[in-house]
Every structure is written in structure tokens, then in C-alpha cells.
Amino acid sequence: MAAHDTEKITAGAAALGIQLDDEQASRLARHAELLEEWNRRINLTSIDPADFVPLHVLDSLTVARGHRPRAGDRIADVGPGAGFPGLPLKIAFPGTSLVLLEATRKKLAFLEAVTRELGLEDVTTIHGRAEGLGRQPEWRERFDLVTARAVARLNVLVEYLLPLTRIGGVAVALKSASIDDELAEAAPAVKRLGGGIRDVKKVRLPETDIERALVVIEKTRSTPKRYPRAGGEIGRRPLT
């Protein structure tokens, strides 16, 4: 990507309260550049390359407005697709560790290639689904921050996120600004899975008219052992 894109990334991140150095901005720009290159061969995103910075990179960094990662935090990104929001968060907050949980192999191959080329450390890619990982003792309730963007309606999504979130940690779901109906629909599931909605943060993406809603869910108690259920059941019969 052109040099002005690193400037746009730096300025946009600053508008979100994140200060990036030149290396971080270059890595974020290179991630977007690799996405453009790979997307010509395999379908990773339908967004126009001209919009990668605001709609992918900066959108990912809005997570920090809902919950700012700290050094030592373990982050899990559920269904990152081309790496959003997990990889931008890892680049912006390098003291964290990151697990990218992706069920599609072609997307996983892209994530592994980006991680290698950018020289990112403490990044683990896993081919699988959140409901499987959430039942495994080595991953269950192990993460300080669990994120997801555009994966499912909130009443379904929380059953993927909260079993992975440690008690005292948070799950952040990136949603569109019109979130009221989903919040009401998901409230029983959030409570049953051991969480409580701490905040709904509305954030406007820099240099756009798009408003993002960050649903911040705090894990207050352990998720009952019977959750998460099998993936098909989660989708067919959301918790009520």
C-alpha cells in the first residue's frame, strides 16, 4: 500500500486513542497489502481495497475503546477471517498473546502467511470452531479478552465467546450501531453463560460516517459445564 496509508493508519489510530510507531503502522499497512494480493486469488473479503484501512484495520482497533488490552493479556479472536480484529490488536498491543480460531482452511493459510511475513510472535493459529475449543480444558476460560466481528447474532455469539473467557475477563463483540434488539434478545443467554453486559460503546470509525457498537461483556462466574453445546444446536436453538 502507498505511504499515505501508513499516515492514514497512524492518524486513525490516534483518533481512537492508540499511539502507533512507524513499525506498527507499516505492519498494519502490509497486512492490508497482503490481503489485497491474496484476495485476487481467493475470496477473503468483499470490501473494496480502498476501504481496507477504515473498514478493516481501524475497525479492528475500535476494540480498544471498549476494552484496552494490557501487556500479558491472552486474546482469542473467534472467526477472524482475514485476521480482523485479532491481528491489528496484536500489532498495536505487542505485549499480548493471540489465538486466531478459524474454521476455513484457506483463511487459516492466509493468517499463517501474514503472521510469518510480519514476524509476529506469540500468535497461534488453530483450525477449528469455538464450540470445540470451549470444551477443551487447556482453552476453556483461559482468555483475558475474546473478540469476534460479524460472526453471528449476539444470542448465538455469546455461547461461542464466554466459555473461552476467564472469570474477570471480557468478551467484546463488534456489532452494527443498531444493537438494541440483539441486546434484549441475548440478555438471558449472557446471564446463563456467566456474563453480564458491562457496556455498549458506540464508536465512529475515523474518516467515515459508520458507527460501530462494541458490546463489552464481563465474565462474572464460571460457565456451566454443559455449554457450549454442539455448533448446530447453538444456531438452531439459541439460549433464551
Side-chain angles (χ1 to χ4, degrees):
M1 304 192 89
H4 68 268
D5 288 313
T6 60
E7 296 172 2
K8 187 186 298 185
I9 288 168
T10 300
L16 295 171
I18 300 170
Q19 301 303 314
L20 300 175
D21 61 29
D22 290 344
E23 182 179 2
Q24 289 169 312
S26 293
R27 280 175 161 172
L28 289 167
R30 181 58 179 153
H31 180 191
E33 187 177 59
L34 287 168
L35 175 55
E36 184 175 355
E37 292 172 5
W38 278 61
N39 207 51
R40 298 188 192 110
R41 294 181 281 118
I42 59 175
N43 182 30
L44 294 168
T45 179
S46 59
I47 291 176
D48 189 288
D51 294 325
F52 282 177
V53 168
L55 302 188
H56 280 320
V57 177
L58 298 179
D59 188 30
S60 297
L61 296 181
T62 63
V63 171
R65 293 290 297 273
H67 180 80
R68 194 177 185 91
R70 297 165 296 185
D73 275 359
R74 301 183 72 192
I75 301 173
D77 187 3
V78 174
F84 306 105
L87 285 176
L89 288 173
K90 169 62 181 174
I91 293 167
F93 300 94
T96 59
S97 64
L98 173 66
V99 170
L100 298 166
L101 179 59
E102 177 55 55
T104 305
R105 285 197 178 275
K106 67 179 182 180
K107 294 177 180 177
L108 198 70
F110 174 73
L111 297 175
E112 291 169 346
V114 172
T115 300
R116 284 193 306 270
E117 173 147 345
L118 298 184
L120 300 179
E121 299 179 350
D122 294 324
V123 176
T124 303
T125 55
I126 297 178
H127 179 244
R129 302 185 64 86
E131 62 269 28
L133 210 68
R135 290 192 292 268
Q136 298 177 24
E138 64 266 37
W139 301 111
R140 184 179 177 88
E141 297 187 331
R142 299 293 183 181
F143 294 95
D144 303 283
L145 170 62
V146 183
T147 67
R149 185 179 78 148
V151 170
R153 284 186 70 82
L154 192 60
N155 62 337
V156 172
L157 184 60
V158 292
E159 194 168 346
Y160 298 139
L161 304 186
L162 285 174
L164 294 168
T165 309
R166 70 168 178 83
I167 298 172
V170 298
V172 178
L174 289 80
K175 287 287 183 177
S176 64
S178 304
I179 189 64
D180 290 348
D181 288 346
E182 283 193 56
L183 286 171
E185 181 183 60
V190 171
K191 182 177 181 180
R192 187 179 297 190
L193 294 164
I197 295 176
R198 188 174 79 187
D199 195 11
V200 179
K201 187 81 170 179
K202 300 290 183 70
V203 181
R204 189 170 298 280
L205 298 187
E207 299 187 16
T208 76
D209 294 325
I210 299 170
E211 190 174 53
R212 168 67 76 190
L214 305 170
V215 182
V216 184
I217 304 169
E218 188 170 15
K219 184 72 171 282
T220 57
R221 56 183 174 80
S222 186
T223 299
K225 290 183 179 179
R226 63 182 177 275
Y227 303 115
R229 299 166 293 165
E233 189 175 5
I234 294 173
R236 286 194 307 270
R237 297 176 54 243
L239 295 175
T240 57

